Amino acid sequence: MIMKNALLDAFYFRHACKLFDDSRKIPQSDLDFILEAGRLSPSSMGLEHWKFIVVQSPQLKVKLRHACSDQPQISSSSDVIVILAKISDLQPDSAYVIAQFSRLNLPPDKTEEFHQFYREFVQNRDLTDWSVAQCHIAAANMMTAAAAIGIDSCPIGAFGTDQVRHILQIDHNQYEVALVLPIGYRKHPQPAKHRLAFSDLIEFR
Ligand SMILES: Cc1cc2nc3c(=O)[nH]c(=O)nc-3n(C[C@H](O)[C@H](O)[C@H](O)COP(=O)(O)O)c2cc1C
């Protein structure tokens, strides 16, 4: 277990970094550590709704920057993690869902019961929104993991979905673009953090 203060330090260190030092590259072992935090994230019904594309090519980064309101975080970063949210795989009777549920090793009737619950659960839901929400959890974990080892990040929600799909040749039936997450090392000191007070946000009942 890590110390509470070490974790809090990571939360204070993390900020939406607006410009990275483009001369610094994240070592592969640190990148793997950050991606592992994403991979190990929780997901509704264990369906691991994400796929991570790590963009390292300078040419692709420039194209992505244009697709993200020209935000310089993208092209100055060391790596851009594009988080894709599964869509077609989440259809109730897809091979993916069947495989994910069968790895739970439940007795056959319990597997079918769970599967039936899933069919009803997805009926009243926007699958894409649900999938994107799971991806944001993975993004948060990756940002915290990065901060814990002194690496900066900036979640980017201002992207043109069709443009990002086109640049990365993503099939729109298969994936929605959930978030664009450039990571690297800050160029400038971080600004003051503004947050509502504990008492404004938290109620104990
Ligand atoms: C889903 C999401 C999308 C965001 N999109 C952008 C963005 O496109 N550009 C940007 O500079 N920051 C973006 N941010 C960062 C927020 O603006 C930032 O987290 C917030 O203002 C609080 O500041 P801090 O993270 O530096 O503490 C986004 C954050 C989230 C969670």
Side-chain angles (χ1 to χ4, degrees):
M1 285 295 133
I2 62 170
M3 302 296 287
K4 286 180 198 167
N5 278 347
L7 190 53
L8 269 183
D9 285 347
F11 285 122
Y12 279 112
F13 176 90
R14 190 217 56 79
H15 68 292
C17 180
K18 306 295 182 191
L19 189 67
F20 296 98
D21 177 349
D22 61 8
S23 68
R24 295 185 65 190
K25 191 86 192 94
I26 296 175
Q28 187 64 44
S29 60
D30 286 353
L31 184 56
D32 290 349
F33 170 77
I34 292 165
L35 292 164
E36 185 67 348
R39 191 180 76 90
L40 294 176
S41 296
S43 57
S44 186
M45 305 203 199
L47 283 172
E48 301 175 64
H49 301 62
W50 40 75
K51 176 179 169 111
F52 309 127
I53 297 191
V54 183
V55 176
Q56 300 181 311
S57 140
Q59 292 84 356
L60 276 181
K61 279 196 240 167
V62 168
K63 287 185 185 171
L64 277 181
R65 172 179 170 159
H66 291 315
C68 297
S69 307
D70 203 31
Q71 297 188 72
Q73 300 91 312
I74 308 280
S75 50
S76 59
S77 68
S78 167
D79 303 270
V80 183
I81 305 171
V82 178
I83 307 177
L84 301 177
K86 289 177 175 140
I87 304 175
S88 51
D89 275 345
L90 301 177
Q91 290 301 327
D93 289 292
S94 73
Y96 179 76
V97 165
I98 291 167
Q100 298 306 98
F101 287 171
S102 65
R103 71 184 179 170
L104 298 174
N105 278 328
L106 297 171
D109 58 325
K110 292 285 170 207
T111 306
E112 180 45 35
E113 212 176 280
F114 192 48
H115 202 150
Q116 186 53 29
F117 171 76
Y118 180 67
R119 288 187 192 99
E120 287 160 24
F121 178 87
V122 296
Q123 233 168 32
N124 306 317
R125 261 179 187 74
D126 182 317
L127 264 188
T128 303
D129 286 353
W130 178 59
S131 191
V132 167
Q134 313 305 313
C135 291
H136 284 187
I137 296 172
N141 282 343
M142 287 194 278
M143 289 189 280
T144 304
I149 56 171
I151 292 173
D152 292 296
S153 60
C154 184
I156 302 279
F159 54 80
T161 303
D162 290 341
Q163 283 171 281
V164 175
R165 277 206 196 108
H166 179 72
I167 293 163
L168 299 176
Q169 298 178 351
I170 306 298
D171 175 355
H172 69 279
N173 293 311
Q174 203 177 1
Y175 296 110
E176 177 63 280
V177 181
L179 198 76
V180 176
L181 182 62
I183 54 177
Y185 300 92
R186 65 191 65 181
K187 177 94 173 167
H188 303 301
Q190 77 186 85
K193 208 174 238 333
H194 301 292
R195 287 295 187 271
L196 296 172
F198 201 88
S199 56
D200 292 328
L201 296 172
I202 294 143
E203 262 187 59
F204 296 97
R205 296 191 183 191

